[in-house]
Amino acid sequence: MLEAGRKKVQQQLKMQIGTVFSSNKKEGMSEEEKEKRLRKIEQKLKNGKKLTAEEMSFIQRYYPEKYPAIKRIQVMRESLEDRLEHASSKEEVQDIYALAVGMVSEKDPYKEEVLSAYQDALQEFKKSSAYQKLPQKTEDKKKGKQNHPYHKELEDEVRKAEYQFIMPEFDLHM
């Protein structure tokens, strides 16, 4: 969770820095250059790729009417990525993805872009070492814990503690 917060702060800083630098070097852009850059960014969105802070800054500066929709797509992608990172099994990863896809409205004007972003996020996550380390099913993870040498001892200690909480010992000799 701390890592996710750190990533968001880093992204915000990159976006602010990108705004400063892009405003200096993009001042002299012609309308044709702006349109070309916009088409390139829109194609990247259609392919489901994550936009850079500089690209988001460009959209915000030159096409502010498009910025909220594009920002929403990026936030939805980041939300899915965060949920995938916290999955406890490969099966759960698939469930999270299926639920996210199922919640995209048929009436969403950016449905294609959102679904592409989700697909790309899933593919990227599946390439990660975090995904490779996940058990196939959540039950497999539980079985792995039960086979641990200290599992039985720990389980016995927990049962004793629970029993003492439920049935405290009383000194009947007064």
Side-chain angles (χ1 to χ4, degrees), residues 7-122:
K7 284 182 182 179
K8 286 182 182 179
V9 169
Q10 287 174 341
Q11 186 177 14
Q12 289 172 346
L13 285 173
K14 285 179 184 177
M15 191 170 180
Q16 290 172 352
I17 291 169
T19 302
V20 170
F21 285 112
S22 67
S23 64
N24 291 338
K25 65 181 180 183
K26 300 279 193 252
E27 276 311 319
M29 286 183 86
S30 68
E31 287 302 313
E32 187 177 303
E33 290 171 323
K34 289 178 193 174
E35 286 293 322
K36 185 178 179 182
R37 179 113 170 97
L38 176 64
R39 284 192 302 274
K40 205 174 191 181
I41 292 171
E42 286 176 333
Q43 186 59 47
K44 193 172 176 180
L45 267 177
K46 283 190 195 290
N47 292 334
K49 300 298 178 191
K50 198 171 197 171
L51 298 183
T52 65
E54 194 275 327
E55 289 166 332
M56 290 299 292
S57 176
F58 173 84
I59 296 294
Q60 188 175 25
R61 181 180 178 104
Y62 294 110
Y63 300 93
E65 70 282 359
K66 294 179 182 272
Y67 182 79
I70 293 172
K71 179 69 176 170
R72 181 178 68 90
I73 294 166
Q74 296 299 294
V75 168
M76 290 173 76
R77 178 195 173 105
E78 289 170 6
S79 175
L80 177 64
E81 289 171 340
D82 189 50
R83 286 179 284 168
L84 292 175
E85 287 175 13
H86 291 92
S88 58
S89 69
K90 292 177 181 175
E91 180 181 51
E92 188 178 346
V93 165
Q94 284 304 125
D95 291 346
I96 290 168
Y97 174 75
L99 180 65
V101 167
M103 293 187 71
V104 178
S105 172
E106 290 293 324
K107 296 176 183 176
D108 189 335
Y110 291 93
K111 178 183 178 188
E112 179 184 333
E113 289 83 353
V114 172
L115 294 177
S116 292
Y118 282 173
Q119 180 65 35
D120 188 63
L122 179 65

